[in-house]
């Protein structure tokens, strides 16, 4: 299976940094998606998160709406939040049957102790359940700024093991990163990835336009580096939390740093509840470039 299975334009150079972008939403943002839908390009891939406080049925309904509105659902699977193999089996069956889901993104999840049989995302990939329900593309996590629970060497080892497992089960691998503000760290991470011979497509997580307090709050909650120097490059002063900020400076810098020799790279926008604002920003950026 070619990388065109991930997105049709993966096989050609990107027109600009928002060419082939994807978005993220929670299972509770149905009204927000309906409002933003007229601004989002048909066929855009929209990831549906797997957060605490949601019911499985809510996630299924969200996937159905993404498909109904003309977009491509990518369903998150949080290994440590799954209570049983039967729960995972049923969820995959439901989203495949009602929303035609072919893409998933697997993560370990936040709970320190698993709520069921899965401790990590590799166990889900190796379960055989993904291909059983027709999943074709499997995204795994990337961490340009590191991870509090793993060393740098461990993160690369885990990534390579997961990518190999995806391929061995007959599916196409993709890497999707946590959002980050540090352009230098992101570019250096992509360069190291390619130097290691990891040639899979990458979706780089960038924060969408949002209030400054909201951006910093999500950064703290997700363990993302947001030092004064990094945020200054992003266009935010942490001594002035009034107003909002967008990813223009970050994306412009990434556009310069992510040269064609670094392979297939596209953006994944984290809207933080502001889907319409992120879709508007994408359209404005596209019109300028």
């Amino acid at each position: 299976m070619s990388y065109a299975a991930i997105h049709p334009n993966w096989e050609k150079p990107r027109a600009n940094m928002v060419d082939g972008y994807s978005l993220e939403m929670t299972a509770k943002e149905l009204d927000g998606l309906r409002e933003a839908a007229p601004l989002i390009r048909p066929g855009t891939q929209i990831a549906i998160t797997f957060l605490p406080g949601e019911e499985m049925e809510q996630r299924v309904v969200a996937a159905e709406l993404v498909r109904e509105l003309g977009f491509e659902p990518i369903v998150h699977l949080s290994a440590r939040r799954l209570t049983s193999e039967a729960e995972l089996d049923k969820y995959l069956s439901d989203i495949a049957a009602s929303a035609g889901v072919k893409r998933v993104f697997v993560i370990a999840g936040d709970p320190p102790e698993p709520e069921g049989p899965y401790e990590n995302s590799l166990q889900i990939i190796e379960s055989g359940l993904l291909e059983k329900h027709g999943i074709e593309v499997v995204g795994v996590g990337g961490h340009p700024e590191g991870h509090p629970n793993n060393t740098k060497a461990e993160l690369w080892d885990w990534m390579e093991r997961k990518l190999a497992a995806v391929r061995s089960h007959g599916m196409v691998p993709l890497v999707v990163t946590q959002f980050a503000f540090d352009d230098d760290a992101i570019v250096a991470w992509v360069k190291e990835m390619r130097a290691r011979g990891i040639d899979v497509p990458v979706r780089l997580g960038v924060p969408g336009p949002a209030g400054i307090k909201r951006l910093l709050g999500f950064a703290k909650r997700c363990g993302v580096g947001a030092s004064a120097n990094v945020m200054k490059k992003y266009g935010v002063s942490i001594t002035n939390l009034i107003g909002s900020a967008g990813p223009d400076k970050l994306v412009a810098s990434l556009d310069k740093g992510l040269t064609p020799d670094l392979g297939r790279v596209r953006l994944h926008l984290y809207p933080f509840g502001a889907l319409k604002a992120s879709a508007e920003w994408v359209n404005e950026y596209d019109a300028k470039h």
Side-chain angles (χ1 to χ4, degrees):
M1 191 179 296
S2 74
Y3 289 130
I6 300 175
H7 196 283
N9 71 359
W10 280 105
E11 300 292 4
K12 63 181 181 179
R14 64 179 184 266
N16 58 38
M17 281 303 294
V18 298
D19 184 21
Y21 74 97
S22 57
L23 288 166
E24 188 154 305
M25 65 176 285
T26 73
K28 296 180 179 180
E29 291 184 87
L30 304 187
D31 289 340
L33 180 60
R34 291 188 184 98
E35 181 185 23
L39 302 169
I40 303 172
R41 300 173 189 178
T44 292
Q45 294 172 20
I46 299 181
I48 300 153
T49 58
F50 197 114
L51 299 177
E54 300 170 347
E55 301 295 331
M56 283 296 197
E57 182 57 32
Q58 287 179 294
R59 300 178 182 120
V60 174
V61 170
E64 291 172 344
L65 181 63
V66 170
R67 177 67 72 195
E68 176 188 321
L69 292 173
F71 310 121
E72 186 69 34
I74 309 171
V75 173
H76 284 209
L77 300 172
S78 179
R80 295 184 181 184
R81 296 193 188 281
L82 291 162
T83 59
S84 68
E85 181 180 324
E87 181 181 53
L88 174 59
D89 194 23
K90 184 179 187 304
Y91 184 43
L92 290 169
S93 175
D94 289 347
I95 58 176
S98 64
V101 171
K102 300 291 184 184
R103 295 161 171 78
V104 297
F105 174 61
V106 291
I107 55 171
D110 297 328
E113 298 295 330
E115 297 173 15
Y118 305 110
E119 185 175 353
N120 57 63
S121 52
L122 182 59
Q123 292 170 322
I124 291 180
I125 297 168
E126 294 181 331
S127 70
L129 292 175
L130 300 181
E131 63 267 37
K132 172 186 173 182
H133 293 289
I135 299 302
E136 297 176 357
V137 177
V138 179
V140 304
H143 303 277
E145 296 182 335
H147 191 283
N149 298 330
N150 296 99
T151 66
K152 183 178 176 180
E154 288 170 339
L155 287 172
W156 288 119
D157 179 61
W158 272 109
M159 178 186 289
E160 290 175 351
R161 289 166 62 190
K162 287 184 282 191
L163 295 176
V166 171
R167 288 190 175 107
S168 71
H169 283 264
M171 297 172 290
V172 177
L174 168 71
V175 174
V176 184
T177 75
Q178 171 64 281
F179 75 90
F181 297 103
D182 190 341
D183 53 338
D184 293 332
I186 295 169
V187 172
W189 178 85
V190 175
K191 287 181 177 178
E192 181 169 357
M193 182 181 181
R194 300 314 189 204
R196 288 173 172 271
I198 303 172
D199 64 348
V200 303
V202 181
R203 285 199 177 280
L204 294 173
V206 298
I212 294 171
K213 286 184 179 179
R214 190 171 182 83
L215 284 170
L216 294 175
F218 271 97
K220 183 177 181 181
R221 190 182 315 168
C222 299
V224 171
S227 69
N229 288 338
V230 167
M231 295 308 293
K232 185 178 180 180
K233 289 197 299 180
Y234 185 74
V236 169
S237 168
I238 60 175
T239 60
N240 181 8
L241 304 183
I242 299 173
S244 61
D248 297 78
K249 286 186 177 181
L250 173 61
V251 171
S253 181
L254 290 176
D255 193 23
K256 291 180 181 179
L258 296 170
T259 49
D261 60 296
L262 294 178
R264 301 169 179 85
V265 180
R266 297 291 190 273
L267 295 187
H268 178 67
L269 282 162
Y270 290 82
F272 305 127
L275 282 163
K276 183 180 179 183
S278 287
E280 288 173 337
W281 177 85
V282 165
N283 294 338
E284 289 170 5
Y285 183 95
D286 190 43
K288 292 176 184 176
H289 301 84

